[in-house]
Amino acid sequence: MPAQQKKLLFCTAGLLSFACALGTAAALGRQLWVRGTILCSTGALLVNASGPELHKFIGEIQYGLFSGQRVRQCGLGGRPFQFSFFPDLLKIIPASIHVSVILFCTVLIVFALVGAGFFMFNAFGSPYETLHGPVGLYLWSFIACSCGCLIMILFSSEVKIHHLSEKIANFKEGTFTFKTHSEQFANSFWTILVCSLVHFLNALLIRFAGFEFPFSKSKDSGTITGAADLMY
Protein backbone atom coordinates (compact mmCIF):
# COMPACT_ATOMS: atom_id res chain seq x y z
CA MET A 1 0.00 0.00 0.00
CA PRO A 2 1.34 3.50 -0.82
CA ALA A 3 2.82 5.48 2.03
CA GLN A 4 0.19 8.22 1.84
CA GLN A 5 -2.63 5.71 2.26
CA LYS A 6 -0.85 4.15 5.23
CA LYS A 7 -0.52 7.58 6.84
CA LEU A 8 -4.22 8.22 6.27
CA LEU A 9 -5.16 4.89 7.87
CA PHE A 10 -2.90 5.44 10.86
CA CYS A 11 -4.18 9.00 11.36
CA THR A 12 -7.75 7.72 11.24
CA ALA A 13 -6.98 4.98 13.76
CA GLY A 14 -5.17 7.45 16.02
CA LEU A 15 -8.08 9.90 16.00
CA LEU A 16 -10.53 7.08 16.71
CA SER A 17 -8.43 5.92 19.67
CA PHE A 18 -8.24 9.46 21.03
CA ALA A 19 -12.00 9.88 20.66
CA CYS A 20 -12.52 6.60 22.54
CA ALA A 21 -10.31 7.82 25.38
CA LEU A 22 -12.36 11.01 25.68
CA GLY A 23 -15.63 9.07 25.43
CA THR A 24 -14.60 6.62 28.14
CA ALA A 25 -13.47 9.44 30.43
CA ALA A 26 -16.82 11.18 29.96
CA ALA A 27 -18.74 7.94 30.54
CA LEU A 28 -16.74 7.22 33.69
CA GLY A 29 -18.03 10.28 35.51
CA ARG A 30 -21.64 10.32 34.31
CA GLN A 31 -24.76 8.84 35.92
CA LEU A 32 -25.97 7.27 32.67
CA TRP A 33 -24.89 3.65 33.01
CA VAL A 34 -28.26 2.24 34.06
CA ARG A 35 -31.79 3.59 33.89
CA GLY A 36 -34.86 1.86 35.22
CA THR A 37 -38.03 1.92 37.24
CA ILE A 38 -38.60 0.49 40.72
CA LEU A 39 -41.87 -0.75 42.17
CA CYS A 40 -42.80 -0.12 45.78
CA SER A 41 -44.15 -3.63 46.30
CA THR A 42 -45.07 -3.06 49.96
CA GLY A 43 -47.26 -0.07 49.17
CA ALA A 44 -48.85 -1.76 46.16
CA LEU A 45 -49.74 -4.82 48.24
CA LEU A 46 -51.22 -2.73 51.04
CA VAL A 47 -53.82 -1.14 48.74
CA ASN A 48 -53.95 -4.05 46.28
CA ALA A 49 -53.01 -1.71 43.44
CA SER A 50 -53.37 -2.88 39.84
CA GLY A 51 -53.67 -1.36 36.39
CA PRO A 52 -53.48 2.46 36.34
CA GLU A 53 -53.21 2.60 40.13
CA LEU A 54 -49.92 0.73 39.97
CA HIS A 55 -48.20 3.72 38.35
CA LYS A 56 -48.51 5.59 41.65
CA PHE A 57 -46.07 3.09 43.14
CA ILE A 58 -43.49 3.02 40.33
CA GLY A 59 -40.47 5.28 40.80
CA GLU A 60 -37.34 5.89 38.75
CA ILE A 61 -33.67 5.16 39.23
CA GLN A 62 -30.50 5.97 37.33
CA TYR A 63 -26.87 5.65 38.34
CA GLY A 64 -23.31 5.46 37.15
CA LEU A 65 -20.09 4.20 38.72
CA PHE A 66 -19.80 6.85 41.42
CA SER A 67 -23.25 8.24 42.14
CA GLY A 68 -26.86 8.26 41.09
CA GLN A 69 -30.38 9.24 42.00
CA ARG A 70 -33.72 7.58 42.59
CA VAL A 71 -37.29 8.79 42.87
CA ARG A 72 -39.33 6.67 45.25
CA GLN A 73 -43.07 6.42 44.67
CA CYS A 74 -45.21 4.96 47.43
CA GLY A 75 -48.56 6.50 46.56
CA LEU A 76 -47.80 9.94 48.01
CA GLY A 77 -45.87 11.47 45.13
CA GLY A 78 -42.26 11.23 44.05
CA ARG A 79 -39.49 11.81 46.54
CA PRO A 80 -36.00 12.19 45.02
CA PHE A 81 -32.93 10.82 46.76
CA GLN A 82 -29.29 11.31 45.77
CA PHE A 83 -26.75 8.64 46.67
CA SER A 84 -23.06 7.96 46.31
CA PHE A 85 -21.31 4.60 45.96
CA PHE A 86 -18.29 5.80 47.93
CA PRO A 87 -18.59 5.41 50.84
CA ASP A 88 -22.36 5.09 51.30
CA LEU A 89 -23.11 1.91 49.35
CA LEU A 90 -19.89 -0.03 49.81
CA LYS A 91 -21.46 -2.38 52.37
CA ILE A 92 -24.36 -3.48 50.16
CA ILE A 93 -22.78 -3.71 46.68
CA PRO A 94 -20.18 -6.17 45.33
CA ALA A 95 -17.36 -3.72 45.98
CA SER A 96 -14.61 -5.82 44.33
CA ILE A 97 -16.50 -5.99 41.03
CA HIS A 98 -17.43 -2.32 41.16
CA VAL A 99 -13.86 -1.21 41.82
CA SER A 100 -12.63 -3.54 39.05
CA VAL A 101 -14.97 -1.85 36.57
CA ILE A 102 -13.57 1.57 37.51
CA LEU A 103 -10.01 0.23 37.29
CA PHE A 104 -10.52 -1.26 33.83
CA CYS A 105 -12.12 2.00 32.68
CA THR A 106 -8.96 3.81 33.75
CA VAL A 107 -6.77 1.25 31.97
CA LEU A 108 -8.90 1.60 28.85
CA ILE A 109 -8.40 5.38 28.85
CA VAL A 110 -4.64 5.03 29.32
CA PHE A 111 -4.13 2.47 26.57
CA ALA A 112 -6.46 4.29 24.19
CA LEU A 113 -4.26 7.38 24.61
CA VAL A 114 -1.09 5.32 24.24
CA GLY A 115 -2.48 3.67 21.12
CA ALA A 116 -3.45 7.06 19.66
CA GLY A 117 0.07 8.35 20.24
CA PHE A 118 1.74 5.36 18.58
CA PHE A 119 -0.67 5.44 15.66
CA MET A 120 0.32 9.04 15.03
CA PHE A 121 3.99 8.16 15.48
CA ASN A 122 3.73 5.42 12.88
CA ALA A 123 1.86 7.77 10.55
CA PHE A 124 4.56 10.45 10.53
CA GLY A 125 7.66 8.58 11.70
CA SER A 126 9.50 5.32 11.12
CA PRO A 127 9.10 2.47 13.61
CA TYR A 128 12.40 1.18 14.88
CA GLU A 129 11.40 -0.96 17.85
CA THR A 130 8.71 -3.52 18.55
CA LEU A 131 6.57 -1.10 20.54
CA HIS A 132 6.76 1.46 17.75
CA GLY A 133 5.98 -0.99 14.97
CA PRO A 134 2.94 -3.01 13.88
CA VAL A 135 3.24 -5.48 16.76
CA GLY A 136 2.95 -2.62 19.23
CA LEU A 137 -0.12 -1.25 17.45
CA TYR A 138 -1.80 -4.64 17.61
CA LEU A 139 -0.86 -4.86 21.30
CA TRP A 140 -2.39 -1.51 22.31
CA SER A 141 -5.54 -2.18 20.31
CA PHE A 142 -5.90 -5.67 21.81
CA ILE A 143 -5.44 -4.47 25.39
CA ALA A 144 -7.92 -1.61 24.96
CA CYS A 145 -10.51 -3.87 23.30
CA SER A 146 -10.07 -6.50 26.03
CA CYS A 147 -10.55 -3.90 28.77
CA GLY A 148 -13.75 -2.71 27.13
CA CYS A 149 -15.10 -6.25 27.00
CA LEU A 150 -14.17 -6.87 30.64
CA ILE A 151 -15.91 -3.65 31.70
CA MET A 152 -19.15 -4.70 30.01
CA ILE A 153 -19.01 -8.26 31.38
CA LEU A 154 -18.24 -7.20 34.96
CA PHE A 155 -20.77 -4.39 35.06
CA SER A 156 -23.47 -6.54 33.47
CA SER A 157 -22.89 -9.23 36.09
CA GLU A 158 -23.01 -6.64 38.85
CA VAL A 159 -26.34 -5.28 37.61
CA LYS A 160 -28.08 -8.48 36.53
CA ILE A 161 -26.61 -11.24 38.69
CA HIS A 162 -26.09 -9.25 41.90
CA HIS A 163 -29.32 -7.21 41.44
CA LEU A 164 -27.56 -3.89 41.92
CA SER A 165 -30.63 -1.76 41.19
CA GLU A 166 -32.68 -3.47 43.90
CA LYS A 167 -29.90 -3.12 46.44
CA ILE A 168 -29.69 0.60 45.70
CA ALA A 169 -33.47 1.02 45.75
CA ASN A 170 -33.72 -0.63 49.18
CA PHE A 171 -30.81 1.34 50.65
CA LYS A 172 -31.89 2.81 54.02
CA GLU A 173 -35.44 1.54 53.57
CA GLY A 174 -36.71 -0.10 56.72
CA THR A 175 -40.45 -0.31 56.05
CA PHE A 176 -40.95 -0.44 52.31
CA THR A 177 -39.54 -3.03 49.93
CA PHE A 178 -38.73 -2.12 46.33
CA LYS A 179 -38.50 -4.42 43.33
CA THR A 180 -36.95 -3.75 39.93
CA HIS A 181 -39.82 -3.07 37.53
CA SER A 182 -37.69 -2.39 34.45
CA GLU A 183 -34.04 -1.67 33.80
CA GLN A 184 -31.86 -1.03 30.80
CA PHE A 185 -28.30 0.03 30.17
CA ALA A 186 -27.91 3.68 29.25
CA ASN A 187 -25.59 5.81 27.11
CA SER A 188 -22.36 5.41 29.08
CA PHE A 189 -22.52 1.61 28.94
CA TRP A 190 -23.05 1.65 25.18
CA THR A 191 -20.17 4.11 24.83
CA ILE A 192 -17.87 1.40 26.20
CA LEU A 193 -19.26 -1.07 23.66
CA VAL A 194 -18.62 1.39 20.80
CA CYS A 195 -15.06 1.98 22.05
CA SER A 196 -14.39 -1.77 22.12
CA LEU A 197 -15.62 -2.11 18.53
CA VAL A 198 -13.49 0.86 17.48
CA HIS A 199 -10.32 -0.71 18.87
CA PHE A 200 -11.18 -3.94 17.06
CA LEU A 201 -11.65 -1.87 13.89
CA ASN A 202 -8.22 -0.31 14.45
CA ALA A 203 -6.66 -3.77 14.39
CA LEU A 204 -8.36 -4.39 11.05
CA LEU A 205 -7.02 -1.07 9.75
CA ILE A 206 -3.49 -2.15 10.65
CA ARG A 207 -4.03 -5.40 8.77
CA PHE A 208 -5.52 -3.48 5.84
CA ALA A 209 -2.41 -1.32 5.74
CA GLY A 210 -0.47 -4.43 4.74
CA PHE A 211 0.99 -5.69 8.01
CA GLU A 212 0.74 -9.32 9.05
CA PHE A 213 -0.72 -10.22 12.41
CA PRO A 214 1.88 -10.63 15.19
CA PHE A 215 3.81 -13.89 15.26
CA SER A 216 2.60 -14.86 11.78
CA LYS A 217 5.35 -15.93 9.35
CA SER A 218 5.38 -15.59 5.62
CA LYS A 219 6.75 -18.25 3.27
CA ASP A 220 9.96 -16.28 2.66
CA SER A 221 10.68 -15.48 6.28
CA GLY A 222 13.03 -18.35 6.94
CA THR A 223 16.16 -16.26 6.69
CA ILE A 224 14.77 -12.93 7.92
CA THR A 225 15.47 -11.94 11.49
CA GLY A 226 12.73 -10.93 13.90
CA ALA A 227 13.95 -7.34 14.06
CA ALA A 228 13.76 -6.96 10.26
CA ASP A 229 10.17 -8.20 10.21
CA LEU A 230 9.08 -5.15 12.14
CA MET A 231 10.51 -2.64 9.68
CA TYR A 232 8.54 -1.28 6.79
Side-chain angles (χ1 to χ4, degrees), residues 8-26:
L8 179 61
L9 288 176
F10 283 142
C11 286
T12 301
L15 291 175
L16 288 174
S17 294
F18 184 72
C20 285
L22 293 181
T24 304

Side-chain angles (χ1 to χ4, degrees), residues 19-194:
C20 285
L22 293 181
T24 304
L28 183 61
R30 300 182 70 185
Q31 298 180 5
L32 294 176
W33 283 75
V34 174
R35 281 179 175 172
T37 56
I38 50 176
L39 172 65
C40 181
S41 58
T42 304
L45 288 173
L46 285 175
V47 300
N48 197 21
S50 62
E53 297 178 348
L54 197 62
H55 290 285
K56 297 181 180 180
F57 298 91
I58 296 178
E60 299 177 352
I61 186 171
Q62 73 172 37
Y63 55 90
L65 298 180
F66 295 97
S67 61
Q69 61 182 352
R70 73 184 189 194
V71 178
R72 65 194 298 271
Q73 292 270 12
C74 293
L76 298 175
R79 297 186 180 183
F81 175 76
Q82 298 282 341
F83 59 86
S84 173
F85 283 93
F86 304 98
D88 298 339
L89 301 177
L90 280 181
K91 294 182 179 180
I92 64 170
I93 66 171
S96 58
I97 298 179
H98 199 79
V99 172
S100 297
V101 172
I102 297 174
L103 177 62
F104 281 117
C105 282
T106 305
V107 175
L108 175 57
I109 295 171
V110 171
F111 279 96
L113 290 174
V114 170
F118 280 112
F119 272 117
M120 290 300 181
F121 181 86
N122 279 269
F124 300 103
S126 298
Y128 54 89
E129 293 179 357
T130 299
L131 297 182
H132 293 165
V135 175
L137 298 181
Y138 283 121
L139 177 63
W140 312 132
S141 299
F142 174 76
I143 293 176
C145 184
S146 299
C147 287
C149 293
L150 286 172
I151 291 169
M152 291 185 293
I153 292 172
L154 290 174
F155 189 73
S156 298
S157 67
E158 185 180 9
V159 173
K160 299 298 183 180
I161 298 177
H162 294 275
H163 307 289
L164 183 61
S165 298
E166 283 191 7
K167 290 181 178 179
I168 294 173
N170 289 284
F171 177 62
K172 290 186 177 180
E173 291 289 344
T175 304
F176 295 97
T177 301
F178 292 86
K179 300 286 186 181
T180 302
H181 187 261
S182 67
E183 113 186 311
Q184 58 275 341
F185 295 109
N187 298 344
S188 295
F189 180 85
W190 299 120
T191 298
I192 302 298
L193 174 61
V194 171

